[in-house]
Every structure is written in structure tokens, then in C-alpha cells.
Amino acid sequence: MHMRGGDPLSTEPLTTVAPAPAHSPVTEPLTSDGTERVLVVEDDQDIAELVAHHLHKAGYASEILTSGADVMPVVRARPPALVVLDLMLPGRNGLDVCRSIRADPRMSGVPIIMLTAKTDETDRIVGLELGGDDYVTKPFSPKELVARVGAVLRRARREQPPRSVLRFGPVNVDTDRHVVTCNGQDVRLTAKEFLLLRYLIEHRGRVLTRDVLLSDVWGYTYTGGTRTVDVHIRRLREKLPMLAGAIVTVKQFGYKLVEDDPGSPSRS
């Protein structure tokens, strides 16, 4: 297939990425050094490697897939910053892949640039209506494609809402991602433990009765002598030892998260 522009292929070997196993952990769309990762889905290996070569020159990391059937497992395991998606793919066509990405709540915001050899306006319109952010018609200039990648990523960054993080000393609570860290280390909490910790930080300095906590955190009113709140407070103190002295038991009332912790909590 004829392509315009571009430098010779890189001498560095670029291999096709195999589908990720189902149990692979979900990672950020960045490499360990902070480089944005672009997934290139193109069944023509030469074109895929040429695109990856120019992406590398522009400062992006890249992965290559040659079958549409492999896309969703990889996207779920290693969410990319952007997908360059050919429409004519073996295994599963690009429009169907685009539809699946947009239907997955975790992946729906990933930008997609479509590659198509078709000149029919209908195909381009369908792709954009399914959620494609841009399209490039073959033959194309790899440099132009990389420029479009940069433009789409910049637009996506501007549209992304700021992440909300609560802080209490060394404890960070990412309320968007439901992630808690202490001194930079991940802390595994159950859903209710997370909501309870968030509520305590948001209402620090206030005495919170068990009834209030049951109503606002658990979502129901309980008039009996449940120990649910006490059990969850104990678990928070065990999982976050620095909170053992910061969560004060107020006899006959409930609990209070003290205000004079190391560092002032804030939302950013």
C-alpha cells in the first residue's frame, strides 16, 4: 500500500503484542517513565511498524495489534492513552471494536483515531457517530497522523475533569478512582471502609454519631445496637495504623477524626 512522507523504518525491532491474560492488572495509560502509550491496531505489519516508529520519534510509547479480536483484552488490561484503529481488521472489524470500547465504562473516554482505506463518506460518518474522535484516510502521511494524535490527546486532557483527592497527613484518598495510599503505598479497603474513611476526612473535627454514620455511609437508619460502625472503625485503625490515635472514640456518641494531624487535609 502506498504511503506518503515519513522516514525509513527504525532498526529497533517492533513486535506484535499478544493479547493480555484475563487476570492482568489494570494499569495507567502511561509507561513507568510517564510516557503516553498509544495502541496501534493495524493488520498490515509494515504500516503498523511505520506508525509506531513515528510515534516513538514524537515521544510516545506504542503497542501493536494486528487482529480486532485481541483489542478489548489488551485495552482492559493496559488502558492506552489513545487508540489508532484500522477499520478493516481480521477477527473483528474496527467499527465493532470502537463500539465495544465506548460501551465499557472504564474505557469509554479513551480517544480513538480511525484509519480507513474507504473513501465512502458513510463509513467515516458511522465511525464518528460511534465515538471516533478523528479519522485518517489511507494513503496518509505518518507525520500528519502523529500530529493528529497529539491534537486529540491535548483536547482530551483539556476535557478531563480534575481528579479529586482528599488528604489526611500521609493518607491520600482518590475519590474518583477509589484508591487509598499511605506514604505512597496502596492500602486495600473494602467499599464501605473506603466510604467511611472518606466521610471521616470530609467531616474532620466533628463528633459523628453511629446513627449519622449508618445513615450517611451505609444509607439506612438502624435503631438497634449494631456494631457495624465499630467493626469498620477497628478495621480502618488496623489497616491505617496512623489513624489509631486520630480516630477518637467519643463515649456514648460515636467517633471523631481529629484536626491536628501532620499536614492539613485538602482537596485537589
Side-chain angles (χ1 to χ4, degrees):
M1 184 174 297
H2 175 67
M3 300 187 67
R4 298 194 305 269
D7 297 331
L9 294 177
S10 171
T11 57
E12 297 179 12
L14 292 170
T15 58
T16 301
V17 177
H23 61 274
S24 296
V26 174
T27 59
E28 288 293 314
L30 304 174
T31 61
S32 58
D33 62 356
T35 304
E36 287 175 304
R37 188 169 58 249
V38 177
L39 178 62
V40 179
V41 189
E42 166 60 64
D43 62 324
D44 187 314
Q45 187 74 26
D46 290 337
I47 295 177
E49 291 187 356
L50 183 62
V51 170
H53 168 68
H54 282 270
L55 287 169
H56 176 73
K57 286 181 61 178
Y60 301 103
S62 63
E63 296 185 22
I64 295 174
L65 293 177
T66 57
S67 171
D70 297 337
V71 176
M72 292 310 296
V74 170
V75 167
R76 290 190 177 113
R78 298 186 295 277
L82 181 144
V83 179
V84 174
L85 179 64
D86 187 23
L87 293 187
M88 302 297 291
L89 293 168
R92 194 178 186 189
N93 70 69
L95 292 177
D96 193 26
V97 171
C98 179
R99 185 183 292 108
S100 295
I101 292 175
R102 290 293 176 252
D104 188 322
R106 296 179 305 164
M107 303 297 111
S108 60
V110 175
I112 299 173
I113 295 180
M114 295 181 169
L115 299 180
T116 175
K118 297 182 177 181
T119 58
D120 188 349
E121 183 182 59
T122 301
D123 294 299
R124 299 197 298 269
I125 292 174
V126 170
L128 294 173
E129 288 180 343
L130 285 175
D133 295 272
D134 200 353
Y135 71 89
V136 176
T137 302
K138 298 177 182 177
F140 60 88
S141 161
K143 291 182 179 179
E144 179 185 351
L145 174 60
V146 171
R148 288 176 180 265
V149 167
V152 170
L153 285 173
R154 286 192 297 274
R155 184 166 68 242
R157 293 187 208 109
R158 289 196 301 268
E159 294 173 352
Q160 185 175 7
R163 181 171 293 169
S164 182
V165 178
L166 294 171
R167 295 188 174 88
F168 185 85
V171 177
N172 287 352
V173 180
D174 189 322
T175 60
D176 292 338
R177 298 169 59 215
H178 281 225
V179 172
V180 175
T181 61
C182 184
N183 292 316
Q185 300 297 314
D186 288 340
V187 179
R188 293 185 176 273
L189 300 181
T190 65
K192 282 294 184 284
E193 290 166 355
F194 176 89
L195 293 174
L196 178 58
L197 175 60
R198 173 180 176 174
Y199 194 86
L200 289 170
I201 294 178
E202 289 177 335
H203 298 83
R204 55 185 305 198
R206 291 176 50 186
V207 177
L208 304 170
T209 67
R210 290 177 177 83
D211 287 341
V212 166
L213 291 172
L214 282 171
S215 175
D216 291 359
V217 176
W218 274 262
Y220 61 84
T221 301
Y222 188 86
T223 57
T226 181
R227 304 294 292 177
T228 298
V229 174
D230 300 331
V231 170
H232 282 74
I233 290 290
R234 175 174 56 80
R235 289 176 181 169
L236 281 181
R237 287 168 169 165
E238 291 173 351
K239 294 182 178 182
L240 292 162
M242 60 82 57
L243 293 181
I247 301 177
V248 178
T249 302
V250 182
K251 291 184 179 180
Q252 299 181 348
F253 285 97
Y255 299 94
K256 178 180 72 172
L257 183 65
V258 299
E259 293 188 84
D260 54 345
D261 69 288
S264 59
S266 61
R267 184 183 293 272
S268 62

